Amino acid sequence: MRYAICPLSVVPVRSEPSDTAEITTEVLFGEFFKVLERRASWSRIRLAHDGYEGWVSNKQYTEIDKQQYDDLCADKKEVFCAQSVGVCKKEDGTSLPILIGSRLPMYADGCFSIAGEKYSFDGYVACGKKPKSDIAKVARGFLNAPYLWGGRSFFGIDCSGLVQLCYRLCGRKLPRDAKDQAQGGEVLSFIEEAEEGDLAFFDNEEGVIVHVGIVLADHMIIHASGQVRVDRLDQTGIYNSQINKYTHKLRLLKRM
């Protein structure tokens, strides 16, 4: 078994070993994974933080040994970049942009290292479990970010990526996809029971969960649809006042 870590700002994870294959998620700087299969140009990986699998280019990761991987898994004090775009400095003086949600392994006193290479970062960081109300505050920081299928950054993010990332920045773990996120938590019977930070799930005509958003106060919801936006939420679903119609049909509300 091989192990690796992401040394770049963001790396696409694809459904097949090809540059033209669908992007199913992204790996952010500092996230680490197992290499399940390595071919000439591509590797099939499994991300440590959510178990998601897919293909990444061999040019876009750095290998680490099993001890380094185990140490990263054992590090319970997860520290993340907490600003939309930050800049970390390498030992050679060059800069590397990193995105909100990037992992800063073994971070201490403004410094951390990846595969033996030392970095410094003096930007805002997030660490530890935050109150549930903070989830909505973090989500508002993504307002107007464009929608991107498989995206996990301010420059492109999908609905479940937004939810997972906001929860993670507040010290809470969720699966990557909306249908899997919907499997956890406690079902709420009425929308009046929902609090800021709870999740609302939406289905299609076949009853499949296809969308998720974060509940806000006053029957509002923040979600990624075209862009990260705030809309009204009621027992029917999401109502977009700009086009005067419902865009998503409510399936269930959950407290995670």
Side-chain angles (χ1 to χ4, degrees), residues 49 75-80 103-104 126-128 168 173:
H49 70 273
D75 180 20
K76 300 306 179 185
K77 186 185 175 183
E78 294 183 315
V79 179
F80 303 98
R103 176 84 182 266
L104 310 180
C127 178
R168 195 175 186 208
K173 292 188 177 182

Side-chain angles (χ1 to χ4, degrees), residues 87-90 92-97 119:
V87 177
C88 59
K89 297 283 189 180
K90 294 185 176 184
D92 62 7
T94 59
S95 300
L96 176 71
Y119 296 80

Side-chain angles (χ1 to χ4, degrees), residues 17-32:
S18 167
D19 284 319
T20 60
E22 172 191 19
I23 296 175
T24 56
T25 191
E26 292 176 326
V27 187
L28 301 181
F29 176 84
E31 293 182 331
F32 49 98

Side-chain angles (χ1 to χ4, degrees), residues 1 9 29-31 50 69 80 114 150 152-153 167 171 174 176 183 188 191 229 249:
M1 179 70 69
S9 305
F29 176 84
E31 293 182 331
D50 62 8
Y69 180 88
F80 303 98
I114 286 184
R152 292 180 63 224
S153 83
Y167 264 68
L174 286 179
R176 175 62 176 87
Q183 298 302 309
L188 304 177
I191 198 166
R229 54 182 294 123
K249 179 168 66 74

Side-chain angles (χ1 to χ4, degrees), residues 143-187:
L143 275 172
N144 301 315
Y147 178 89
L148 176 67
W149 177 269
R152 292 180 63 224
S153 83
F154 186 80
F155 298 104
I157 197 163
D158 63 21
C159 64
S160 57
L162 174 68
V163 167
Q164 185 196 46
L165 196 54
C166 291
Y167 264 68
R168 195 175 186 208
L169 285 163
C170 292
R172 302 158 187 261
K173 292 188 177 182
L174 286 179
R176 175 62 176 87
D177 292 338
K179 68 181 189 304
D180 298 318
Q181 293 170 357
Q183 298 302 309
E186 169 195 353
V187 175

